[in-house]
Amino acid sequence: MIGRPSRRWWLLLGLFMAVGLGVRLWYLFAWMHPAEVQGDPLYYHDAANLFADGRGWPDPYELRLNKRYVPDAQHPPLTSALLALPSLVGLRTFLDHQVFSCLLGTLAVGIMGLTGRRVAGPATGLVAAGIAAVYPGMWINDPLLMSETSGILATSAVLWLAYRFWERRGYLDAALLGVAVAAAALARAELALLGVFLVTPLVLIARPEDAPPRIGWRRSVGTPAAATAKPRAAGGRLAGIVASWRRRLGMLVAAGAACVLAIAPWSIYNLTRFSEPEYLSSGLGTTLAVTHCETTYSGPHLGWWDFDCILAIENPPTERSERDVFYREAAFTYIDAHKGELPKVAAARAGRTWGLFRPWQQVRLDTVELRPVGVSQVGMVSLWVLMAAAVVGAVLLRRRRALLLPLLALPGVLTLASTMVYGTSRFRAVAEPAVVLLAAVAFAAIRSRFTPHGRHAGGRPPAAHVPAQAQVGQPETG
């Protein structure tokens, strides 16, 4: 168990957050202001102001261009709901929302530091916060006003709460993790897959009977449980196994119930205003329609998207849920006729997302979303360095018998979702926290080789090579 963080550690974390805010504001005012307000940023900006005014969730484009109120759920609500907070106090301009988005990105820097502490100790936490403060992949989307900012914030919280659950393994910890996954899904719908690929296996592999005894919410200090446990008869062992699985299933139910309850208000709202069922977003059909066509299955745009594809589909319905179904059926028809090409297309999509397939072309394509070429190029090279370090970090955590599942599940879910729709740099953003944390483990290990014995950043040295279930120590905060 990692000791209590020192005042110095908190001061350093605050310093890195200040640096992160400075970098984001510099990028905003040096590169992104004044901004050309269009596309998704316009949607999130207008939707936030409409929601703050109590006008519900219409299509902002229709309202702005045609003065028609058309119910819509093209994007999940978290990004605009967060941007509505400054709107409620009169900060309603696009620039106001850009600054607030930079503040949200800075908050993610702090959460990364806290998560790094839980993953591999205080030094790793500070390294993770430092990387998150300056690495372009963590801030390039903030002034753009895109859902990736809220997505990064949500997935950072998911990782922090996943490691918190692993240490404490209580019903409340499981429920909080479920709420965090719900927030991630309300930022980007595909992140609902974290419930299947992260929360479910994490809860089921947690073994409460092997954990040290507790006092309240904390683990007790002293002898590991294995050294104090009394021998059990066969019947006692069976009863223990049954009780263990009952507890695990109970925690899984708590996580699932909390996730469903957090999403329910948005889903119920959608079910009352659309003719077809929509639970998170009505945008899947549109996305599939622009990504499953001839120009995205071959040629220079292989694995990307092409808006001409959706323009070729005639007579779409006006009602948004019906339009979603209409475009989905058109896309599925094309997919069914081109099944043999899916492996090639999926590989290209994943490659584009992770900067491994036509990376410099992807940098140029990203300019359609107003990303500066120079910043994107620096971000791409930085990504390659961090991915190489992340592999080392994963090996180190494996050797220490530390928990790896959350840091692998997040990139895995993102990659799976990308292969199903299309590949682009910004899709990678919500998985950047996992890459940064794994890289931080490697960089912190390098640093430790040059640190005099007994000196550690912000607290006692972590029991890095002791399995999590055998670690004991002082109570942890943060």
Side-chain angles (χ1 to χ4, degrees), residues 199-245:
V199 177
T200 300
L202 183 66
V203 173
L204 293 181
I205 65 175
R207 295 184 295 173
E209 73 276 10
D210 288 343
R214 305 163 186 250
I215 301 176
W217 288 103
R218 306 294 187 182
R219 292 182 179 180
S220 63
V221 180
T223 308
T228 60
K230 296 180 179 179
R232 295 179 180 178
R237 287 197 298 270
L238 179 59
I241 293 172
V242 172
S244 171
W245 276 103

Side-chain angles (χ1 to χ4, degrees), residues 51-67:
F51 182 59
D53 291 339
R55 302 189 65 184
W57 223 273
D59 183 340
Y61 305 134
E62 286 285 350
L63 201 58
R64 179 182 282 256
L65 298 176
N66 301 319
K67 310 302 179 185

Side-chain angles (χ1 to χ4, degrees), residues 26-387:
W26 165 80
Y27 174 53
L28 166 59
F29 288 103
W31 295 80
M32 305 305 299
H33 179 72
E36 183 179 356
V37 186
Q38 61 182 14
D40 286 348
L42 173 64
Y43 185 103
Y44 294 121
H45 168 64
D46 278 0
N49 286 333
L50 290 166
F51 182 59
D53 291 339
R55 302 189 65 184
W57 223 273
D59 183 340
Y61 305 134
E62 286 285 350
L63 201 58
R64 179 182 282 256
L65 298 176
N66 301 319
K67 310 302 179 185
R68 292 193 304 169
Y69 189 102
V70 178
D72 186 60
Q74 177 71 20
H75 300 290
L78 184 63
T79 301
S80 292
L82 290 174
L83 294 176
L85 295 176
S87 298
L88 290 171
V89 296
L91 301 174
R92 305 172 58 88
T93 69
F94 193 77
L95 179 60
D96 292 335
H97 286 168
Q98 286 178 298
V99 172
F100 185 75
S101 183
C102 290
L103 292 173
L104 294 177
T106 304
L107 180 58
V109 173
I111 297 176
M112 291 288 289
L114 295 173
T115 307
R117 272 193 77 250
R118 289 188 179 274
V119 172
T124 300
L126 292 178
V127 173
I131 297 173
V134 301
Y135 167 49
M138 290 288 290
W139 51 257
I140 192 170
N141 296 292
D142 293 349
L144 292 173
L145 226 61
M146 301 288 278
S147 63
E148 281 65 37
T149 296
S150 59
I152 287 176
L153 181 60
T155 54
S156 298
V158 167
L159 293 176
W160 176 55
L161 290 169
Y163 279 92
R164 183 180 187 270
F165 166 80
W166 187 250
E167 289 181 0
R168 303 186 180 192
R169 303 181 192 184
Y171 288 99
L172 177 60
D173 308 301
L176 290 174
L177 180 57
V179 171
V181 170
L186 291 171
R188 296 201 57 87
E190 67 271 16
L191 293 177
L193 292 171
L194 288 172
V196 177
F197 294 101
L198 171 56
V199 177
T200 300
L202 183 66
V203 173
L204 293 181
I205 65 175
R207 295 184 295 173
E209 73 276 10
D210 288 343
R214 305 163 186 250
I215 301 176
W217 288 103
R218 306 294 187 182
R219 292 182 179 180
S220 63
V221 180
T223 308
T228 60
K230 296 180 179 179
R232 295 179 180 178
R237 287 197 298 270
L238 179 59
I241 293 172
V242 172
S244 171
W245 276 103
R246 183 183 297 118
R247 180 176 175 82
R248 277 182 268 189
L249 292 175
M251 291 189 294
L252 186 59
V253 169
C259 183
V260 170
L261 288 174
I263 294 175
W266 173 249
S267 298
I268 293 172
Y269 175 57
N270 288 334
L271 291 173
T272 63
R273 62 195 186 116
F274 293 126
S275 60
E276 298 289 341
E278 298 287 0
Y279 300 99
L280 281 173
S281 167
S282 61
L284 177 61
T286 303
T287 301
L288 293 178
V290 300
T291 57
H292 292 277
C293 57
E294 182 177 353
T295 55
T296 63
Y297 271 50
S298 61
H301 286 173
L302 172 64
W304 201 49
W305 59 272
D306 187 348
F307 198 72
D308 288 341
C309 299
I310 199 171
L311 296 179
I313 305 175
E314 299 179 348
N315 302 319
T318 299
E319 202 275 338
R320 291 306 185 256
S321 66
E322 295 175 357
R323 176 180 293 188
D324 185 27
V325 173
F326 176 79
Y327 282 140
R328 268 186 278 160
E329 291 176 348
F332 291 151
T333 298
Y334 186 88
I335 292 170
D336 188 60
H338 298 82
K339 292 179 181 177
E341 299 179 69
L342 288 178
K344 171 190 69 176
V345 176
R349 290 168 174 169
R352 285 190 183 276
T353 298
W354 290 104
L356 301 175
F357 177 71
R358 299 177 181 174
W360 304 123
Q361 182 207 43
Q362 189 59 49
V363 165
R364 295 192 301 273
L365 294 174
D366 287 344
T367 59
V368 74
E369 294 170 337
L370 305 181
R371 288 170 179 76
V373 170
V375 176
S376 295
Q377 289 173 334
V378 172
M380 189 68 72
V381 175
S382 301
L383 170 68
W384 294 335
V385 173
L386 290 179
M387 287 198 301

